[in-house]
Each structure stands twice: as structure tokens, then as C-alpha cells.
Amino acid sequence: MSDLPKAYEPQAVEAKWYAAWIEGKCFEADPASEKPAYSIVIPPPNVTGILHLGHVLNNTIQDILARRARQEGKEVLWLPGTDHAGIATQAKVERELREKEKLTRRDLGREEFLKRVWDFKEKHGNIIISQLKRLGCSCDWSRERFTMDAAYTKWVSHVFVELFKEGMIYRGKRIVNWCPVSLTALSDEEVIMKPQRSKLYYMKYELTDAPGEFLEISTTRPETLMGDVAVAVNPKDPRFTKYVGRTVYRPFPHAPIPVIADDHVDIEFGTGALKITPAHDKADFEIGLRHNLPIIDVLTPEAFINCPEVPDLHGLDRFVARRKAAAKLEEMGLLIKVEEYDNNVGFSERAGVPIEPRISMQWFLKYPRVQEAADAVANGEIQIRPERWAKTYAHWMENLQDWCISRQLWWGHQIPVWYRKDKLEGLKNAESLDMADFQSGDIHVGIEAPADEAGWVRDEDVMDTWFSSWLWPFATMADVGEETPTLKKFYPTTDLVTGPDIIFFWVARMIMAGFRFEGELPFKNVYFTSLIRDMKGQKMSKTLGNSPDPLDMMDQYGADGLRFGLMRIAPTGSDLRFDEVQMEEGRNFANKLYNACRFRQMGGTIEFPETDVEEDEGLVGMANCFHIDILAKLDELAVDLTRAYGDYRFGEIAQRLYEFLWSEFCDKFLEAVKGDLRETATPEARVVTLSVIDTVMSRFLQLLHPYMPHLTEELSLNMGYVDAGEFLMEAELPEQPVLAGLSADDLAIEQNKAAAIYETAGRLRNLKTEYHVAARRDVKLVVKGAVAWLEEQQQVLALLAGAGEILLDSTYEAPKGTPVALTPVGEIYLPLEGLIDVAAEKVRMTREIAKFEQELVRSEAKLANESFIARAPAEVVEQEKARITEWRTKLAQLREMLEGLG
RNA sequence: GCGCGCUUAGCUCAGUGGUAGAGCACAUCCUUCACACGGAUGGGGUCGCAGGUUCGAAACCUGCAGCGCGCACCA
């Protein structure tokens, strides 16, 4: 017996193996390799982020794919890195600055502030990288990238310049989504619509040419009333025809504004009349453009009222001002009523406050290669899984809006545009900037600053983080204009694994960028993971505090336990409910495997008997039905796994591995062959059994390796399946099955024998339990009408069933009331002196008879149905007939026995 | 409003036309020399509802309900 502890202790083992893999350069990809390439780029986590369960799921899947690909003989590149995450990172540093030094970023100035962010990044950055290592991720760390590396930054600028010169990027004054907390524009994707309980205010504006006559208007935003420049009605709305072209008084500041007609107005909604505030609503802005209306901005960037003409509102927070404006209307007798109203309000994804539509000067991108990108998914060049996400992708691609790519932040890639100082004022306020301005020489757009830098001022804005992320698959592999061996070998990448929440942010954009800048799709397969929820079905979030720390999980259950537990409940489609119990199961599974190996080690080394049986030729010849059965099941497992990997069915793979080891190998096979390892066993039996165990265990460890890399590596070494100095993770999966040289018929015969013994053992244990002798191992069993081959396996049956002795006796006359079971190997009696209870046995048998009768009736009814006979496939009919025969035989036997009881 | 998805045992989920499954939880028994992070046995389901197709439906079709998620300029 080995000195190994009884329970597996993962912590030290996991750390040891990760270090060994790094030392052995096992994760490093070789572009010069002859092997076919397999590549994944990691979805770069936020550089200052910390690992959450979403990362664990996502990266475990990638690691499984990468490790499996290595086993399949591929040259694997899993390229890691981190994202600078503009808003999130800047916000963190600003918060720290505010809390510790009571300073804002403007107090420090751009240069000093950026220095602080870099310091912060050095200090807190890469925590997540070490956490990914703890999880066992086999990334090629020698190629780690950061989206603000110099070379990467050059890519971002290059892309901007190219697209600008192509006319795809332009600057313009538009309504954008403004975050009043982060003080920057956001893209449409960064706005989250949330249902809100709001109020709908009904108010009335007096007609200038008809005092006492009013036009009724409804709005949810009375606080922007000062920015009203018109009232719009639908031209098809007969109620308002007479007003169109006239003017009404805006209450404050008191001024006449026109009543206009515009198709956009919904006749059904509210009063049917809409106040037009072009500065604070996207639709209003467009109506304003159509009708040539002025724009009056009445909000500060921080979303406070900016309207000195109305002193009692000026300077107020927008929501305070809303109530105040309503009160003011009421005072003036212009408020008709207020209704409760449910609507959707856009929130800033990062800051969590309602965004404010705001006019501002921003840079926009017209997406390139839209058609190619849409087609690539539609025609299957890029496979999206689960497939239904392809529809979401297609829908978005069909409704693309220009992308607002500028951000009023400092942390990020600064826009590579310079303005001539002497023309700065004019350029700053120009309604639009594009190629024409570039050609005139007033602006400079380039990767490098203009030569006479002093005469120029650089655009202050930075780019949306996703404007760097969308280049990730190729910008990580080669510098601008380079054709590196890495790019050549590993681009396009094979699989992308990410969450469906960033299908627009990232996936779709990468596809477009791939086509535009590399002339090729960036990846062939996209696998969208499930969203992790808690047991109540709520989204995991820091604020809810329902997000367990993966590091805690790893401390408790091991990285392998966490990986396996999580993958085992990872569904193919919908959300995943995280249940810590499952991680415990993962740990238990690791422990089970570990103990199965300890058991094998107790068997010691294999000493071949003098007959000189060679492993290869002797194995099948000497094997019994249990050996053959487990080898066949192992082969089946390997085939099933290959298919499941092909379909990205990770939960099913985990389930099959679990079931094989626990049920098939430990519960059945090991129990069946335990006798072979006892001192009483023949040397031949011992050798065969140990060999079969080794064959199964070594192959199983390899199949399990992608899911539990550390443990399988450890056990493979300890068991001697992998030589010291070599790695299981580098061993290729053999293509041949472990079982060979047996005809399908012979295999079926052997497997049926094994199944019959297992089933019989189950029946007997059941019988023992029913008669309350489950714990006794000395009971005697008698088999009547035994199948011919039972004799050779009766020892095993006794072992499995927990019987002291099994007698084969075809003439056995059971005492009345002897418990009996009908099994695939014959009638088995459990003669128990003093325990036999005729009445109880009668009841049990009557119950069993009733059960079979029911089955018989059902089957007979089916066969009596002419349509069934006529239309069902022959094999189904045959199956049914066979069942009837079986039921009848059993019923006859049981009735006879019941009669025997008297 | 449009679209997508889900609804199977107390819980988490498999099961895409042929007698309803797994794990956990539960109950009873077992500390027998791999493992109590274990072993054995057992109880538990009109497969959301209603129609339809079919010899046969948990599965296919239609409708409905509940839940979830996207998208959308109804102020």
C-alpha cells in the first residue's frame, strides 16, 4: 500500500505541474512546425480586472480546446493578453485619486494622470494573468500582448489613418449617447435599456394668435422644455391640421415656437403632439434637421440645467429640475395631468446612470466590408455555435449605424489627428471634417506627428476601447505591414470562445476588421458560452454579492475540480446556473480517480509469469468478459468524445468521462476483478487484470487531461504511464482502439456475459436488501437452470453480489418461500434458514407478477393493432414480439413458483 | 411592438419518433484491507397547458401561458 494520503490534495500538485509545463515550454507555439495549426486568441480581460466565474468558464473551454488540439497532433497557439479597458480603468484610477488625494484628473493634467494610470496598471495589472495561470490555462505567455503596447498602438493608429483616407472615418456634430458621469460619448452598444417607472406629463402651450386656445402636449422630460424649438404633429392627424404653420408660446423662457408637421409623430401616443428639443433627443434632432430648426442646448456636460434665463431651474440636477419644471407648469396653470408611465431608459453600461442624448463633435466610422462579414456567417465560412446566435448577428449587421469611436477620456489610443494651430478655431467648430480637410493641409492624419510638431495641436480625444479590440486576432500576431511566420501559420485562428453579450461589441467588428485588414476572416468557429447565473437565476454581479470568488473555489476544490464541476453543468444552449455543490462533485471526482490509481498501485508492478505472456499478444487471449467489456467501453468512450468535441458539447464530454470512470470502471469493472489481485488468484489472472487496468487508466487519463490537466499529469507520472521528463499533455492520442482482433460477434458475446453478470449481481443485492441481509457476505445462493458459461464466472458473481458461495444445482428443490430472482443467468434462490417468510415472499411474487402482466398487456395490445404491424419498422415489431415471449416465460415461471409456495 | 430561447424527478440538467434518464438531495443499510470527497438498495415524473400530424409524440406542427434574453427614435 502506498504512502499516499487517502484523499487527493490538489494545491501543491497543481502548482508543481504548472511550473513544470512552463519550464518545459509546453505552451509555446512554433510557427515553423510541420504540424497543422490550431489557434485561439484569448478574449483579452481587463488588465486591472480580477477573475470571475465567467472568465473561468470561458478560459476553461479554451484550455480544453487547446489541450485537446495538442493531443490531436496540432501545433497550438493560444495567444493571451489584456485589454486597457478605457473607461473602466480610467474610472478606477480617478476614483482612487479622488478618495486618496481629493484630486481630479484635470488637477493633474493629462501627462501626469496618464503616468498614474500606467503606475496603476503596473501595480494591479496582470493579477488576472496569474489567476488564469492558477486555473491551468495553457497560453503561450511568451507572446502575451497588451492593447496599449507600442506596436499595438501603431496598429490602431494605422487602421484609423487608413479608414480615414478611405472616407470611412469622419468627424461631425451629432447626437450621441453622453454619459454625464464619465463625461464622454458612448457607442450605442454601451447603452443598456432598462425599464423604468416614469411619469408622463400632460401640458398645454397657448397659441400666440388665439389667446385662451391651447395645444396639448405630453412629455416625460419637462426639464428640457427650455430647449424646445417647435411642437410637431403628424400631418395625417386631422385634430391638428388647423394648427400647423401657426405658433404657440413656450412657457419658459417665454417665446413663440412653430407648430410643424412631421411623419415621425405617433398619432396614438399621448396627445399626439410632440415637443421638439433637438439638442436632447435623437429623433427631435432629426426632425430639427428636416425643418431647419435651431438647436438650444440647456444642459451642462454633467447634465445640470444650463439656462440662466430661467433662474429657478438653472444649475439644478436634471431629475430635480424635472419635478421643479412640472411644479412650475402647474403654478402657471399649464399642467393638465401626470400619469404613471413605464418606459425604457438608456443607462450607461459603466457608470450606471441614465445617458443623456447630447449634441457634440465626435469621430464616426462607417463600417467596412459589411457585406463580406455578413456573408461569411450566412454561408457558413464562419460557424457560430450555438447556431441561433447567427440570427442575432445577421440582424445587427443589417441595421448598422455609424460607430461613434471617439471618447472624451485620456486613457486610451489618442486620435491620430493634428490640427494646424493657426487654423485651430475654425477647425474645432467645423461642422464636419473629412478627406477634403486633409487634402487642404489644415489637418494631419498619420501614425506619426507632423514634422513641425510645434505648429500643430493633436486631437485630445481617445478611441473607444473596442476600436483596438477589433484588431486583436491579427494585431497580436504581427506588427503593421509585417507578414510574420506566426501570422502566416496561425491566422485565421481556429476557434473564438466568448460570451454572446459581446457579439456586437467585439465579434462582429473583428470579422469586418479581419476582412478589411488581412483580407480574410479572423476565425473559423465562434463558440458562445452560457451566461452564468446564481441559483436564483440572477445574473452574477459584484453589487449583488452573489458571485463566488473563483480563487476560493480553487482553494476548496482545486483548479481541476472547479474546471470539471463547471464544465459538467455547462449546457450547450441557455444560461448556466452555478451551484457550488457541482464544484464539490468535481473535487470528489478527482478524488475518486486518485483513489482508483492508489488501488492500482497496491497491485504492484506486473511480473509476467513463466509462460512468458507478452502484453500485446497475450492480453486478449487471456482476457475474460469483464476485461473485454471495459476495453470495449473505453473505445466507445473515445469515439463518443471525438464526436462530442466536434459538436463542442463540453457538458456531455464531462458527463461521459464521469460516468465511465465512476460507474463502468470503478463500480463495475474494478469490483468484478478485485479477486484477481488477491493472493489466492493465479499469476495469469493477476497479470491480465493489472495490464487491463493499466491500459484503461493510461488511456482514460489522457482522455480526461483537457478537463483535469494537473491531476492527470500527476497520476500519469506516478503510475508510470508517462516517463519522467515527459509530459502527458504532449502525448498524442493514439488512433487505434485498445481492443483489437476480436470479431463483432465474439465481442457481443463477451459483453453480454459481462452485462448479464452485472445485472444478476444487482438483482441479488436487491434481494438481499429486501430480506435485510444486505450486510452479510456469507449468504449462500443457489442457481437453478444456469446458463452454460456461468460456472467460469460464479466467483465473480459471488464477489459482486456479496455471497459466500454460489451453488449451481439444476435439480434444486427450494424450501417453500425461499426468495428467488429471475436473472439472465438463471433462477437464483436465496435460502435463508430462519428468515424465510412464506407470506412475505408471496406478496413479493404477486407484486412482481402484476408488474409483468401489465407489461404483457401493453405489448399484446400493441401487436394487436393492425396499423402498427403494417406501418412500424420490422425491427420494432420484432422487438415487441421478443418482449412478449420474455414476459410470458417469466410469468409462467413466477406462477409456478407462487404455486409452489402453497 | 418584433425576434430568439427556455419550461422533463425536490434541485441542476441529458434526452430531436419506438417501454421516461443522470448527478445531487432524500430514506434505509454498511466505518469489509482504493476511496465516507465512499459503497449498496430504494422512493420519487399525467415530460407547462390545449389542439393537430403519426400505428406510435417528452421529441414534429399550431395556438396559449409563465419565465428569461436580445432588438426597437412612441416623446
Side-chain angles (χ1 to χ4, degrees):
Chain A
M1 169 98 191
S2 65
D3 302 329
L4 292 170
K6 279 170 94 170
Y8 173 55
E9 289 154 10
Q11 319 313 339
V13 169
E14 291 179 349
K16 178 183 81 183
W17 281 107
Y18 201 83
W21 290 324
I22 294 284
E23 174 82 7
K25 298 190 189 305
C26 298
F27 304 158
E28 291 185 22
D30 176 12
S33 166
E34 298 283 305
K35 296 177 183 175
Y38 176 92
S39 53
I40 309 185
V41 288
I42 203 170
N46 180 342
V47 66
T48 62
I50 53 163
L51 197 73
H52 58 66
L53 281 171
H55 293 125
V56 173
L57 176 65
N58 188 278
N59 288 290
T60 297
I61 290 174
Q62 291 174 70
D63 196 45
I64 287 168
L65 287 170
R67 288 176 184 274
R68 174 76 183 186
R70 289 189 192 96
Q71 295 183 321
E72 287 170 350
K74 309 263 175 62
E75 184 63 28
V76 171
L77 168 61
W78 182 10
L79 203 161
T82 49
D83 191 291
H84 66 282
I87 298 185
T89 308
Q90 173 163 330
K92 274 185 203 169
V93 178
E94 282 189 281
R95 196 192 317 130
E96 202 181 73
L97 200 58
R98 198 167 52 238
E99 283 168 6
K100 289 193 181 151
E101 303 177 49
K102 307 261 184 262
L103 292 174
T104 69
R105 71 180 206 245
R106 284 171 214 288
D107 295 332
L108 288 184
R110 187 171 191 133
E111 205 177 319
E112 176 59 23
F113 178 75
L114 284 180
K115 211 177 140 274
R116 299 290 187 97
V117 187
W118 279 104
D119 289 347
F120 185 84
K121 186 236 162 194
E122 292 311 317
K123 199 168 138 204
H124 300 275
N126 297 330
I127 290 177
I128 194 157
I129 295 297
S130 64
Q131 291 174 323
L132 288 174
K133 290 175 179 170
R134 169 84 172 82
L135 187 63
C137 294
S138 58
C139 303
D140 183 350
W141 300 108
S142 72
R143 294 166 193 272
E144 188 183 335
R145 294 286 184 274
F146 175 51
T147 51
M148 283 193 24
D149 288 341
Y152 201 104
T153 299
K154 193 173 166 192
W155 255 116
V156 176
S157 297
H158 167 76
V159 163
F160 184 98
V161 173
E162 288 294 303
L163 291 172
F164 176 82
K165 287 183 177 168
E166 239 174 61
M168 303 296 276
I169 287 180
Y170 60 92
R171 198 188 74 166
K173 222 174 196 179
R174 299 288 147 87
I175 285 268
V176 295
N177 306 300
W178 184 262
C179 175
V181 170
S182 310
L183 298 179
T184 178
L186 301 173
S187 65
D188 295 342
E189 288 70 33
E190 287 165 285
V191 177
I192 299 171
M193 301 306 280
K194 290 188 191 171
Q196 294 291 301
R197 167 124 297 190
S198 310
K199 288 187 166 61
L200 187 59
Y201 300 86
Y202 288 79
M203 56 193 187
K204 53 187 185 180
Y205 287 6
E206 192 170 28
L207 281 120
T208 55
D209 56 2
E213 199 178 335
F214 294 90
L215 189 53
E216 294 185 359
I217 299 162
S218 45
T219 182
T220 52
R221 303 205 59 190
E223 75 278 14
T224 62
L225 186 154
M226 300 80 79
D228 287 7
V229 294
V231 174
V233 296
N234 193 299
K236 294 187 200 76
D237 191 341
R239 293 174 298 175
F240 299 116
T241 317
K242 58 182 176 183
Y243 299 120
V244 175
R246 295 162 71 183
T247 53
V248 294
Y249 283 118
R250 181 182 63 200
F252 45 87
H254 190 74
I257 54 174
V259 178
I260 59 170
D262 194 287
D263 287 330
H264 168 78
V265 181
D266 182 351
I267 299 175
E268 305 293 321
F269 188 87
T271 63
L274 168 65
K275 75 187 195 67
I276 302 299
T277 324
H280 301 293
D281 184 281
K282 198 175 178 209
D284 289 9
F285 178 77
E286 277 153 22
I287 293 172
L289 284 182
R290 285 199 282 276
H291 297 268
N292 229 343
L293 298 169
I295 296 168
I296 305 172
D297 190 337
V298 296
L299 288 174
T300 66
E302 295 81 7
F304 287 90
I305 304 295
N306 177 25
C307 183
E309 297 96 312
V310 185
D312 40 348
L313 294 181
H314 184 64
L316 292 181
D317 171 82
R318 53 187 161 156
F319 302 110
V320 176
R322 180 173 301 171
R323 292 192 293 275
K324 193 82 185 259
K328 213 167 147 63
L329 285 168
E330 189 158 27
E331 269 168 42
M332 296 167 82
L334 298 175
L335 188 69
I336 302 162
K337 60 174 174 179
V338 182
E339 275 179 0
E340 290 291 320
Y341 178 63
D342 294 325
N343 65 343
N344 284 318
V345 175
F347 278 68
S348 159
E349 192 199 23
R350 288 285 160 202
V353 296
I355 60 107
E356 195 57 59
R358 180 164 195 256
I359 297 259
S360 65
M361 192 72 82
Q362 302 289 345
W363 289 95
F364 295 90
L365 166 75
K366 292 182 201 154
Y367 287 102
R369 307 296 166 98
V370 176
Q371 196 58 48
E372 271 174 275
D375 290 347
V377 170
N379 66 27
E381 270 181 87
I382 295 177
Q383 296 265 338
I384 289 186
R385 269 170 265 249
E387 230 171 311
R388 64 196 159 83
W389 292 109
K391 279 186 199 161
T392 308
Y393 172 84
H395 182 256
W396 190 72
M397 292 299 287
E398 281 161 20
N399 295 283
L400 285 179
Q401 305 282 322
D402 288 357
W403 176 11
C404 175
I405 53 171
S406 46
R407 295 289 178 275
Q408 288 62 56
L409 305 171
W410 289 348
W411 175 243
H413 302 98
Q414 198 169 351
I415 305 260
V417 173
W418 285 258
Y419 307 104
R420 275 179 60 164
K421 265 187 185 163
D422 51 345
K423 299 213 176 165
L424 191 58
E425 271 321 297
L427 289 169
K428 246 187 179 167
N429 298 314
E431 283 297 314
S432 68
L433 280 182
D434 51 29
M435 243 341 249
D437 304 276
F438 177 70
Q439 279 156 351
S440 74
D442 290 346
I443 67 172
H444 167 85
V445 180
I447 295 175
E448 305 293 337
D452 52 335
E453 214 177 331
W456 300 79
V457 176
R458 187 169 185 175
D459 193 301
E460 291 199 348
D461 289 353
V462 301
M463 283 177 256
D464 182 0
T465 300
W466 297 104
F467 193 86
S468 60
S469 314
W470 75 325
L471 314 176
W472 188 250
F474 52 85
T476 47
M477 291 195 190
D479 292 349
V480 177
E482 273 189 356
E483 168 84 16
T484 60
T486 299
L487 188 74
K488 241 180 152 151
K489 177 83 180 172
F490 295 109
Y491 188 91
T493 62
T494 317
D495 290 327
L496 177 80
V497 180
T498 190
D501 49 332
I502 53 175
I503 184 166
F504 310 136
F505 278 116
W506 198 44
V507 180
R509 287 166 177 168
M510 278 194 287
I511 296 174
M512 291 186 271
F515 277 115
R516 172 60 185 79
F517 294 99
E518 291 298 330
E520 240 182 317
L521 40 82
F523 30 73
K524 299 186 197 95
N525 302 291
V526 182
Y527 181 81
F528 285 116
T529 61
S530 326
L531 189 74
I532 302 190
R533 296 173 173 281
D534 69 7
M535 287 304 286
K536 289 181 206 142
Q538 292 173 306
K539 220 168 157 170
M540 296 252 172
S541 78
K542 259 189 238 162
T543 41
L544 279 172
N546 60 353
S547 178
D549 183 350
L551 289 206
D552 282 353
M553 300 285 106
M554 285 192 257
D555 287 342
Q556 283 185 63
Y557 309 117
D560 288 340
L562 174 62
R563 292 166 62 118
F564 194 86
L566 194 58
M567 292 316 297
R568 201 153 152 256
I569 52 169
T572 47
S574 47
D575 300 344
L576 177 161
R577 284 183 190 235
F578 182 81
D579 186 350
E580 200 175 318
V581 170
Q582 295 294 336
M583 307 311 117
E584 204 177 316
E585 289 303 301
R587 179 200 59 182
N588 294 354
F589 181 66
N591 191 56
K592 187 75 181 176
L593 176 61
Y594 169 84
N595 274 294
C597 287
R598 277 178 74 223
F599 176 68
R600 163 62 188 88
Q601 283 187 316
M602 285 166 57
T605 52
I606 300 176
E607 285 162 31
F608 288 97
E610 282 159 20
T611 46
D612 190 32
V613 181
E614 284 296 324
E615 239 180 299
D616 324 327
E617 48 179 86
L619 204 55
V620 169
M622 290 168 62
N624 64 25
C625 62
F626 304 104
H627 299 129
I628 289 167
D629 181 56
I630 197 67
L631 292 169
K633 280 180 173 145
L634 178 69
D635 284 334
E636 241 173 81
L637 172 71
V639 169
D640 288 354
L641 292 195
T642 301
R643 198 185 49 235
Y645 271 113
D647 295 335
Y648 297 74
R649 299 170 70 95
F650 301 103
E652 187 178 311
I653 293 167
Q655 193 51 46
R656 285 289 282 121
L657 288 163
Y658 185 94
E659 179 193 305
F660 177 84
L661 180 82
W662 209 302
S663 310
E664 300 298 340
F665 187 70
C666 291
D667 289 348
K668 289 185 188 158
F669 174 71
L670 283 187
E671 294 304 325
V673 299
K674 261 183 181 170
D676 295 344
L677 303 184
R678 293 192 176 149
E679 283 173 12
T680 50
T682 65
E684 284 80 9
R686 180 184 183 81
V687 165
V688 179
T689 289
L690 288 179
S691 301
V692 170
I693 292 177
D694 284 340
T695 303
V696 174
M697 289 300 299
S698 61
R699 184 71 67 93
F700 179 79
L701 287 170
Q702 199 176 10
L703 290 172
L704 176 65
H705 176 262
Y707 280 67
M708 298 189 130
H710 312 89
L711 173 61
T712 51
E713 193 79 74
E714 169 82 358
L715 293 176
S716 294
L717 177 69
N718 288 353
M719 304 288 290
Y721 301 149
V722 168
D723 294 336
E726 309 223 324
F727 293 100
L728 174 67
M729 75 161 284
E730 291 187 328
E732 283 190 29
L733 276 170
E735 283 181 21
Q736 322 71 356
V738 292
L739 190 64
L742 207 60
S743 75
D745 286 348
D746 287 345
L747 177 61
I749 289 170
E750 295 305 314
Q751 287 206 270
N752 284 339
K753 278 189 200 169
I757 295 289
Y758 289 135
E759 190 188 328
T760 302
R763 304 284 320 231
L764 297 182
R765 287 189 300 249
N766 171 318
L767 209 60
K768 281 175 69 185
T769 304
E770 280 204 51
Y771 282 87
H772 309 292
V773 290
R776 280 175 56 180
R777 312 217 70 185
D778 60 346
V779 294
K780 189 171 83 176
L781 294 167
V782 182
V783 188
K784 198 174 168 185
V787 293
W789 53 267
L790 183 60
E791 200 168 347
E792 63 195 69
Q793 299 305 346
Q794 60 176 311
Q795 301 294 341
V796 175
L797 183 58
L799 189 64
L800 286 172
E805 187 186 359
I806 293 189
L807 284 178
L808 305 189
D809 181 356
S810 51
T811 60
Y812 181 65
E813 292 290 336
K816 277 188 181 180
T818 303
V820 62
L822 294 175
T823 76
V825 302
E827 293 167 28
I828 297 198
Y829 294 85
L830 176 63
L832 291 168
E833 312 300 327
L835 268 173
I836 297 168
D837 178 343
V838 178
E841 187 56 14
K842 266 185 176 171
V843 169
R844 198 178 67 85
M845 236 175 246
T846 310
R847 202 169 56 213
E848 203 147 335
I849 287 171
K851 208 165 70 189
F852 284 128
E853 274 171 343
Q854 219 176 357
E855 299 284 5
L856 185 61
V857 167
R858 194 190 297 177
S859 289
E860 278 177 342
K862 217 165 175 183
L863 276 182
N865 185 334
E866 281 172 33
S867 306
F868 173 72
I869 302 293
R871 302 194 190 214
E875 64 200 65
V876 175
V877 176
E878 282 311 309
Q879 202 182 348
E880 210 56 53
K881 282 182 180 165
R883 268 181 209 142
I884 289 192
T885 316
E886 194 189 332
W887 303 146
R888 283 190 177 142
T889 315
K890 287 199 169 170
L891 275 171
Q893 285 174 306
L894 284 166
R895 284 186 179 127
E896 200 181 313
M897 290 172 197
L898 186 59
E899 246 170 64
L901 287 176

